[in-house]
Amino acid sequence: MKVRLRLFASLRERLGTAGEDLDVPPSVTTVGALREHLRLRGGPWADAFAPTRNVRAAVNQDMAQPAAAIKAGDEVAFFPPVTGG
């Protein structure tokens, strides 16, 4: 299954990319599973998507929880929490 991965703010800076079209295995069917899949890439990906990191997600521009389903063609965005002043 192919999804469009988008990364924002410090995640984009840390990982050196704004995103990619990504083929994921059939077992990756939720936002949480995608996050774990990305963490298993190792290196800076392991750090950026570590369970202790607070990372928000959106599917097709709607905020999503880890249990949210993803399907082929979805855009999944990850970004750090945003604070206002």
Side-chain angles (χ1 to χ4, degrees):
M1 168 174 75
K2 188 171 281 216
V3 296
R4 174 159 285 194
L5 173 67
R6 303 275 312 226
L7 302 168
F8 293 94
S10 60
L11 286 174
R12 176 178 19 205
E13 294 167 9
R14 182 178 299 134
L15 298 170
T17 184
E20 62 185 277
D21 288 335
L22 182 66
D23 280 316
V24 295
S27 61
V28 176
T29 60
T30 65
V31 168
L34 178 58
R35 180 177 170 161
E36 178 64 8
H37 178 75
L38 295 171
R39 185 185 71 78
L40 292 174
R41 286 180 159 183
W45 293 87
D47 180 56
F49 288 99
T52 56
R53 294 273 186 192
N54 192 3
V55 176
R56 306 285 179 174
V59 177
N60 299 324
Q61 300 182 4
D62 289 323
M63 294 298 294
Q65 297 296 317
I70 58 174
K71 62 186 182 320
D74 280 350
E75 177 187 81
V76 183
F78 289 102
F79 48 93
V82 179
T83 61

Coordinates of all heavy atoms in Angstrom, one line a residue:
M1 N 0.8 -1.2 0.0 CA 0.0 0.0 0.0 C 0.9 1.2 0.0 O 1.9 1.3 0.7 CB -0.9 0.0 1.2 CG -1.6 1.2 1.5 SD -2.8 1.2 2.9 CE -1.7 1.1 4.3
K2 N 0.5 2.2 -0.8 CA 1.3 3.4 -0.9 C 0.5 4.6 -0.2 O -0.7 4.8 -0.4 CB 1.6 3.8 -2.3 CG 2.5 5.0 -2.4 CD 3.0 5.2 -3.9 CE 4.0 4.1 -4.2 NZ 5.1 4.6 -5.0
V3 N 1.2 5.3 0.7 CA 0.7 6.5 1.3 C 1.7 7.7 1.1 O 2.8 7.4 0.8 CB 0.4 6.3 2.8 CG1 -0.6 5.3 3.1 CG2 1.7 6.0 3.6
R4 N 1.1 8.9 1.2 CA 2.0 10.1 1.1 C 2.3 10.5 2.5 O 1.5 10.9 3.3 CB 1.3 11.2 0.3 CG 2.1 12.4 0.3 CD 1.8 13.3 -0.7 NE 2.3 12.7 -2.0 CZ 2.4 13.4 -3.1 NH1 2.0 14.6 -3.2 NH2 3.0 12.8 -4.2
L5 N 3.6 10.5 2.8 CA 4.1 10.9 4.1 C 4.5 12.4 4.1 O 5.2 12.8 3.1 CB 5.3 10.0 4.5 CG 6.0 10.4 5.8 CD1 5.2 10.2 7.0 CD2 7.3 9.6 5.9
R6 N 4.0 13.1 5.0 CA 4.4 14.6 5.1 C 5.0 14.8 6.5 O 4.4 14.3 7.5 CB 3.2 15.4 4.9 CG 2.4 15.2 3.6 CD 3.0 16.0 2.5 NE 3.2 17.4 2.9 CZ 2.9 18.4 2.2 NH1 2.4 18.3 1.1 NH2 3.1 19.6 2.7
L7 N 6.1 15.6 6.6 CA 6.7 15.9 7.8 C 6.8 17.4 8.0 O 7.1 18.1 7.0 CB 8.1 15.3 7.9 CG 8.1 13.8 7.7 CD1 9.6 13.3 7.5 CD2 7.5 13.1 8.9
F8 N 6.6 17.9 9.2 CA 6.6 19.4 9.4 C 7.4 19.8 10.5 O 7.7 19.0 11.4 CB 5.1 19.9 9.6 CG 4.2 19.7 8.4 CD1 3.5 18.6 8.2 CD2 4.2 20.7 7.4 CE1 2.7 18.5 7.1 CE2 3.4 20.6 6.3 CZ 2.6 19.5 6.1
A9 N 7.8 21.1 10.5 CA 8.6 21.7 11.6 C 9.8 21.0 11.9 O 10.6 20.6 11.1 CB 7.7 22.0 12.8
S10 N 10.1 20.7 13.2 CA 11.3 20.1 13.7 C 11.5 18.7 13.1 O 12.6 18.3 13.0 CB 11.4 20.1 15.2 OG 10.3 19.4 15.8
L11 N 10.4 18.0 12.8 CA 10.6 16.7 12.3 C 11.2 16.8 10.9 O 12.1 16.0 10.5 CB 9.2 15.9 12.2 CG 8.6 15.4 13.5 CD1 7.3 14.8 13.2 CD2 9.5 14.3 14.0
R12 N 10.7 17.7 10.1 CA 11.3 17.9 8.7 C 12.8 18.3 8.9 O 13.6 17.7 8.1 CB 10.5 19.0 8.0 CG 11.2 19.3 6.7 CD 10.5 20.3 5.8 NE 9.6 21.2 6.5 CZ 8.6 21.8 5.9 NH1 8.3 21.6 4.7 NH2 7.8 22.6 6.6
E13 N 13.1 19.1 9.8 CA 14.5 19.5 10.0 C 15.4 18.4 10.4 O 16.5 18.1 9.9 CB 14.6 20.7 10.9 CG 13.9 22.0 10.4 CD 13.7 23.0 11.5 OE1 14.3 22.8 12.6 OE2 13.1 24.0 11.2
R14 N 14.9 17.6 11.4 CA 15.7 16.5 12.0 C 15.9 15.4 10.9 O 17.0 14.8 10.9 CB 14.9 16.0 13.2 CG 15.7 14.8 13.9 CD 15.0 14.3 15.1 NE 14.8 15.4 16.1 CZ 13.7 15.6 16.7 NH1 12.6 14.9 16.5 NH2 13.7 16.6 17.6
L15 N 14.9 15.1 10.1 CA 14.9 14.0 9.2 C 15.4 14.4 7.8 O 15.6 13.6 6.9 CB 13.6 13.3 9.1 CG 13.2 12.7 10.5 CD1 11.7 12.2 10.4 CD2 14.1 11.6 10.9
G16 N 15.5 15.7 7.5 CA 16.1 16.2 6.3 C 15.2 16.0 5.1 O 15.6 16.0 3.9
T17 N 13.8 15.9 5.3 CA 12.9 15.7 4.2 C 11.5 16.3 4.6 O 11.2 16.2 5.8 CB 12.8 14.2 3.8 OG1 11.9 14.1 2.7 CG2 12.3 13.4 4.9
A18 N 10.8 16.7 3.6 CA 9.4 17.2 3.9 C 8.5 16.0 3.7 O 7.3 16.2 4.0 CB 9.1 18.3 2.9
G19 N 8.9 14.9 3.2 CA 8.0 13.8 3.1 C 8.4 12.9 1.8 O 9.4 13.2 1.2
E20 N 7.6 11.9 1.6 CA 7.8 11.0 0.5 C 6.6 10.2 0.2 O 5.7 10.1 1.1 CB 9.0 10.1 0.8 CG 8.8 9.2 2.0 CD 10.0 8.4 2.4 OE1 10.2 7.3 1.8 OE2 10.7 8.8 3.3
D21 N 6.5 9.6 -0.9 CA 5.5 8.6 -1.2 C 6.1 7.3 -0.7 O 7.2 6.9 -1.1 CB 5.2 8.5 -2.7 CG 4.4 9.7 -3.2 OD1 3.7 10.3 -2.4 OD2 4.5 10.0 -4.4
L22 N 5.4 6.6 0.2 CA 5.9 5.5 0.9 C 5.1 4.2 0.7 O 3.9 4.2 0.9 CB 6.0 5.9 2.4 CG 6.5 4.9 3.4 CD1 8.0 4.8 3.2 CD2 6.3 5.5 4.8
D23 N 5.8 3.1 0.3 CA 5.1 1.8 0.3 C 5.3 1.2 1.7 O 6.4 1.1 2.2 CB 5.8 0.9 -0.8 CG 5.4 1.2 -2.2 OD1 4.2 1.4 -2.4 OD2 6.3 1.3 -3.1
V24 N 4.1 0.8 2.2 CA 4.2 0.2 3.6 C 3.6 -1.2 3.5 O 2.8 -1.5 2.6 CB 3.3 1.1 4.6 CG1 4.0 2.4 4.8 CG2 1.9 1.2 4.2
P25 N 4.1 -2.1 4.4 CA 3.6 -3.4 4.3 C 2.1 -3.5 4.7 O 1.6 -2.6 5.3 CB 4.5 -4.1 5.4 CG 5.2 -3.1 6.2 CD 5.1 -1.8 5.4
P26 N 1.5 -4.6 4.4 CA 0.0 -4.8 4.6 C -0.3 -4.7 6.1 O -1.5 -4.3 6.4 CB -0.3 -6.2 4.1 CG 0.8 -6.5 3.1 CD 2.0 -5.7 3.6
S27 N 0.6 -4.9 7.0 CA 0.3 -4.9 8.4 C 0.2 -3.4 8.9 O -0.3 -3.2 10.0 CB 1.4 -5.6 9.2 OG 2.7 -4.9 9.0
V28 N 0.6 -2.4 8.2 CA 0.5 -1.0 8.6 C -0.8 -0.5 8.1 O -1.0 -0.1 7.0 CB 1.7 -0.2 8.0 CG1 1.6 1.2 8.3 CG2 3.1 -0.8 8.5
T29 N -1.7 -0.5 9.1 CA -3.1 -0.1 8.7 C -3.6 1.1 9.6 O -4.8 1.5 9.5 CB -4.1 -1.3 8.9 OG1 -4.0 -1.7 10.2 CG2 -3.7 -2.4 7.9
T30 N -2.8 1.5 10.6 CA -3.2 2.6 11.4 C -2.0 3.7 11.5 O -0.9 3.4 11.2 CB -3.5 2.1 12.9 OG1 -2.2 1.6 13.4 CG2 -4.5 1.1 12.9
V31 N -2.4 4.8 12.0 CA -1.4 5.9 12.2 C -0.3 5.4 13.2 O 0.9 5.6 12.9 CB -2.0 7.2 12.7 CG1 -1.0 8.2 13.2 CG2 -2.9 7.8 11.7
G32 N -0.7 4.7 14.2 CA 0.3 4.2 15.2 C 1.2 3.2 14.6 O 2.4 3.2 14.9
A33 N 0.7 2.3 13.7 CA 1.5 1.3 13.1 C 2.5 2.0 12.1 O 3.6 1.5 12.0 CB 0.7 0.3 12.4
L34 N 2.0 3.0 11.4 CA 2.9 3.8 10.5 C 4.0 4.4 11.3 O 5.2 4.4 10.9 CB 2.2 4.8 9.7 CG 3.0 5.7 8.8 CD1 3.8 4.8 7.8 CD2 2.1 6.7 8.0
R35 N 3.7 5.0 12.4 CA 4.7 5.7 13.3 C 5.8 4.6 13.7 O 7.0 4.9 13.6 CB 4.1 6.3 14.5 CG 5.0 7.0 15.4 CD 4.4 7.6 16.6 NE 5.4 8.0 17.5 CZ 5.2 8.9 18.4 NH1 4.1 9.6 18.6 NH2 6.2 9.2 19.3
E36 N 5.3 3.4 14.1 CA 6.3 2.4 14.5 C 7.1 1.9 13.3 O 8.3 1.7 13.4 CB 5.5 1.2 15.1 CG 6.4 0.0 15.5 CD 7.4 0.3 16.6 OE1 7.4 1.4 17.2 OE2 8.3 -0.5 16.8
H37 N 6.5 1.8 12.1 CA 7.2 1.4 10.9 C 8.3 2.5 10.6 O 9.5 2.1 10.3 CB 6.2 1.4 9.8 CG 6.9 1.0 8.4 ND1 7.3 -0.2 8.1 CD2 7.1 1.8 7.4 CE1 7.8 -0.2 6.9 NE2 7.7 1.0 6.4
L38 N 8.0 3.7 10.8 CA 9.0 4.8 10.6 C 10.1 4.7 11.6 O 11.3 4.9 11.3 CB 8.4 6.2 10.5 CG 7.4 6.4 9.4 CD1 6.6 7.7 9.6 CD2 8.1 6.4 8.0
R39 N 9.8 4.5 12.9 CA 10.8 4.4 13.9 C 11.8 3.3 13.7 O 13.0 3.4 13.9 CB 10.0 4.1 15.3 CG 11.0 4.1 16.5 CD 10.3 3.8 17.8 NE 9.9 2.3 17.8 CZ 10.8 1.4 18.0 NH1 12.1 1.6 18.3 NH2 10.4 0.1 18.1
L40 N 11.3 2.2 13.1 CA 12.2 1.0 12.8 C 13.2 1.3 11.7 O 14.0 0.4 11.5 CB 11.3 -0.2 12.5 CG 10.5 -0.7 13.8 CD1 9.6 -1.9 13.4 CD2 11.5 -1.1 14.9
R41 N 13.1 2.4 11.0 CA 14.1 2.8 10.0 C 15.4 3.0 10.7 O 16.5 2.9 10.0 CB 13.7 4.0 9.3 CG 12.6 3.8 8.3 CD 12.3 5.1 7.6 NE 11.6 4.9 6.3 CZ 11.3 5.9 5.4 NH1 11.5 7.1 5.7 NH2 10.7 5.6 4.3
G42 N 15.4 3.3 12.0 CA 16.6 3.5 12.7 C 17.2 4.9 12.6 O 16.6 5.8 12.0
G43 N 18.4 5.1 13.2 CA 19.0 6.4 13.1 C 18.1 7.5 13.6 O 17.5 7.4 14.6
P44 N 18.1 8.6 12.9 CA 17.3 9.8 13.3 C 15.8 9.5 13.3 O 15.1 10.1 14.1 CB 17.6 10.9 12.3 CG 18.2 10.2 11.1 CD 18.8 8.9 11.6
W45 N 15.4 8.5 12.5 CA 14.0 8.1 12.5 C 13.6 7.5 13.8 O 12.5 7.7 14.4 CB 13.7 7.2 11.4 CG 13.8 7.8 10.0 CD1 15.0 7.9 9.3 CD2 12.8 8.5 9.3 NE1 14.7 8.6 8.1 CE2 13.4 8.9 8.1 CE3 11.4 8.7 9.5 CZ2 12.7 9.6 7.1 CZ3 10.7 9.3 8.5 CH2 11.3 9.8 7.3
A46 N 14.5 6.7 14.4 CA 14.2 6.0 15.7 C 14.0 7.1 16.8 O 13.2 7.0 17.6 CB 15.3 5.0 16.0
D47 N 14.9 8.1 16.7 CA 14.8 9.2 17.7 C 13.5 10.0 17.5 O 12.8 10.3 18.5 CB 16.0 10.0 17.7 CG 16.0 11.2 18.7 OD1 15.8 10.9 19.9 OD2 16.1 12.3 18.3
A48 N 13.3 10.4 16.3 CA 12.1 11.3 16.0 C 10.8 10.7 16.3 O 9.9 11.4 16.8 CB 12.2 11.7 14.5
F49 N 10.7 9.3 16.2 CA 9.4 8.7 16.4 C 9.4 7.8 17.6 O 8.6 6.9 17.8 CB 9.0 7.9 15.1 CG 8.6 8.8 14.0 CD1 9.4 9.1 13.0 CD2 7.3 9.3 14.0 CE1 9.0 10.0 12.0 CE2 6.9 10.2 13.0 CZ 7.7 10.5 12.0
A50 N 10.4 8.0 18.5 CA 10.5 7.2 19.8 C 9.2 7.4 20.5 O 8.5 8.4 20.5 CB 11.6 7.8 20.6
P51 N 8.8 6.3 21.3 CA 7.5 6.4 22.0 C 7.4 7.6 23.0 O 6.3 8.0 23.3 CB 7.5 5.1 22.7 CG 8.3 4.2 21.9 CD 9.4 5.0 21.3
T52 N 8.6 8.0 23.5 CA 8.6 9.1 24.4 C 8.4 10.5 23.8 O 8.2 11.5 24.4 CB 9.9 9.1 25.2 OG1 11.0 9.2 24.3 CG2 10.0 7.9 26.1
R53 N 8.5 10.6 22.4 CA 8.3 11.8 21.7 C 6.8 12.1 21.5 O 6.1 11.3 21.1 CB 9.0 11.8 20.3 CG 10.5 11.6 20.4 CD 11.1 13.0 20.5 NE 12.5 12.8 20.4 CZ 13.4 13.8 20.6 NH1 12.9 15.0 21.0 NH2 14.6 13.6 20.5
N54 N 6.5 13.4 21.8 CA 5.1 13.8 21.5 C 5.0 14.3 20.1 O 5.5 15.3 19.7 CB 4.8 14.9 22.5 CG 3.3 15.2 22.5 OD1 2.5 14.6 21.8 ND2 2.9 16.3 23.3
V55 N 4.4 13.4 19.3 CA 4.2 13.7 17.8 C 2.7 13.6 17.5 O 2.1 12.7 17.9 CB 5.0 12.7 17.0 CG1 4.8 12.9 15.5 CG2 6.5 12.7 17.3
R56 N 2.2 14.7 16.8 CA 0.8 14.7 16.4 C 0.7 14.1 15.0 O 1.7 14.1 14.2 CB 0.3 16.1 16.4 CG 0.5 16.9 17.7 CD -0.5 16.4 18.7 NE -0.3 17.1 19.9 CZ -1.0 17.0 21.0 NH1 -2.0 16.2 21.0 NH2 -0.7 17.7 22.1
A57 N -0.5 13.8 14.6 CA -0.7 13.2 13.3 C -2.0 13.7 12.7 O -2.9 14.1 13.4 CB -0.7 11.7 13.3
A58 N -2.0 13.8 11.4 CA -3.2 14.1 10.6 C -3.3 13.1 9.4 O -2.3 12.8 8.8 CB -3.2 15.5 10.2
V59 N -4.5 12.7 9.1 CA -4.8 11.9 7.9 C -5.7 12.7 7.0 O -6.8 13.1 7.4 CB -5.4 10.5 8.3 CG1 -5.8 9.7 7.0 CG2 -4.5 9.7 9.2
N60 N -5.2 12.9 5.8 CA -5.9 13.8 4.9 C -6.4 15.1 5.5 O -7.5 15.5 5.3 CB -7.1 13.0 4.3 CG -6.6 11.7 3.6 OD1 -5.6 11.7 2.9 ND2 -7.4 10.7 3.7
Q61 N -5.5 15.7 6.2 CA -5.6 17.0 6.9 C -6.6 17.1 8.0 O -7.0 18.1 8.4 CB -5.9 18.1 5.8 CG -4.8 18.2 4.8 CD -5.1 19.2 3.7 OE1 -6.0 20.0 3.8 NE2 -4.2 19.3 2.8
D62 N -7.0 15.9 8.5 CA -7.8 15.8 9.7 C -7.0 15.2 10.9 O -6.4 14.2 10.7 CB -9.1 14.9 9.5 CG -10.1 15.6 8.6 OD1 -10.3 16.8 8.7 OD2 -10.7 14.9 7.8
M63 N -7.0 15.9 12.0 CA -6.2 15.3 13.2 C -6.6 13.9 13.4 O -7.8 13.5 13.3 CB -6.5 16.2 14.4 CG -6.0 17.6 14.3 SD -4.2 17.7 14.2 CE -3.7 17.0 15.7
A64 N -5.6 13.1 13.8 CA -5.9 11.6 13.9 C -5.2 11.1 15.1 O -4.0 11.5 15.5 CB -5.4 10.9 12.7
Q65 N -5.8 10.1 15.8 CA -5.2 9.4 16.9 C -4.5 8.2 16.4 O -4.6 7.8 15.2 CB -6.4 8.9 17.8 CG -7.1 10.1 18.5 CD -6.3 10.9 19.4 OE1 -5.5 10.4 20.1 NE2 -6.4 12.2 19.3
P66 N -3.6 7.6 17.2 CA -2.8 6.4 16.8 C -3.7 5.3 16.2 O -3.2 4.6 15.3 CB -2.1 6.0 18.0 CG -1.9 7.3 18.8 CD -3.2 8.0 18.6
A67 N -4.9 5.1 16.7 CA -5.7 4.0 16.2 C -6.5 4.3 14.9 O -7.1 3.5 14.3 CB -6.8 3.6 17.3
A68 N -6.3 5.6 14.4 CA -7.0 5.9 13.1 C -6.5 5.1 12.0 O -5.3 4.9 11.8 CB -6.8 7.4 12.8
A69 N -7.4 4.6 11.2 CA -7.1 3.8 10.0 C -6.5 4.6 8.9 O -6.8 5.8 8.7 CB -8.4 3.1 9.5
I70 N -5.6 4.0 8.2 CA -5.1 4.6 7.0 C -5.3 3.6 5.8 O -5.3 2.4 6.0 CB -3.6 5.0 7.1 CG1 -2.7 3.8 7.5 CG2 -3.4 6.1 8.1 CD1 -1.2 4.1 7.4
K71 N -5.4 4.1 4.6 CA -5.6 3.3 3.5 C -4.8 3.8 2.3 O -4.2 4.9 2.4 CB -7.1 3.2 3.1 CG -7.7 4.5 2.7 CD -9.2 4.4 2.5 CE -9.9 5.7 2.1 NZ -9.4 6.9 2.7
A72 N -4.7 3.0 1.3 CA -3.9 3.4 0.1 C -4.3 4.8 -0.4 O -5.5 5.1 -0.5 CB -4.0 2.4 -1.0
G73 N -3.3 5.6 -0.7 CA -3.6 7.0 -1.2 C -3.8 8.0 -0.2 O -3.8 9.2 -0.5
D74 N -3.8 7.7 1.1 CA -4.0 8.7 2.1 C -2.7 9.5 2.3 O -1.6 9.0 2.0 CB -4.3 8.0 3.5 CG -5.7 7.6 3.7 OD1 -6.6 8.0 2.8 OD2 -6.0 6.9 4.6
E75 N -2.9 10.8 2.7 CA -1.8 11.6 3.1 C -1.7 11.6 4.6 O -2.7 11.9 5.3 CB -2.0 13.0 2.6 CG -0.9 14.0 3.1 CD -1.2 15.4 2.8 OE1 -2.0 16.0 3.5 OE2 -0.7 15.9 1.7
V76 N -0.6 11.2 5.2 CA -0.4 11.1 6.6 C 0.7 12.1 7.0 O 1.8 12.0 6.5 CB -0.1 9.7 7.1 CG1 0.1 9.7 8.6 CG2 -1.1 8.7 6.6
A77 N 0.3 13.1 7.8 CA 1.3 14.1 8.2 C 1.6 13.9 9.7 O 0.8 13.6 10.5 CB 0.7 15.5 8.0
F78 N 2.9 14.1 10.0 CA 3.4 14.1 11.4 C 4.0 15.4 11.7 O 4.7 16.0 10.9 CB 4.4 13.0 11.6 CG 3.8 11.6 11.6 CD1 3.9 10.8 10.4 CD2 3.1 11.1 12.7 CE1 3.4 9.5 10.4 CE2 2.6 9.8 12.6 CZ 2.7 9.0 11.5
F79 N 3.8 15.9 12.9 CA 4.3 17.2 13.3 C 4.4 17.3 14.8 O 3.6 16.6 15.5 CB 3.5 18.4 12.7 CG 2.0 18.2 12.9 CD1 1.4 18.8 14.0 CD2 1.3 17.5 12.0 CE1 0.0 18.6 14.2 CE2 -0.1 17.3 12.2 CZ -0.7 17.9 13.3
P80 N 5.3 18.1 15.3 CA 5.4 18.3 16.8 C 4.2 19.1 17.3 O 3.5 19.8 16.5 CB 6.7 19.0 17.0 CG 6.9 19.8 15.7 CD 6.3 18.9 14.6
P81 N 3.9 19.0 18.6 CA 2.8 19.9 19.1 C 3.2 21.3 18.9 O 4.3 21.7 18.9 CB 2.8 19.5 20.6 CG 3.8 18.5 20.9 CD 4.5 18.2 19.6
V82 N 2.1 22.1 18.7 CA 2.3 23.6 18.5 C 1.8 24.3 19.7 O 0.7 24.0 20.2 CB 1.6 24.0 17.2 CG1 1.8 25.5 17.0 CG2 2.1 23.2 16.0
T83 N 2.6 25.3 20.1 CA 2.1 26.2 21.2 C 1.9 27.6 20.7 O 2.6 28.0 19.7 CB 3.1 26.2 22.4 OG1 4.4 26.7 21.9 CG2 3.3 24.8 23.0
G84 N 1.1 28.3 21.3 CA 0.8 29.7 20.9 C 1.3 30.6 22.1 O 1.6 30.2 23.1
G85 N 1.2 31.9 21.7 CA 1.7 32.8 22.7 C 0.8 34.0 22.8 O -0.2 34.1 22.2

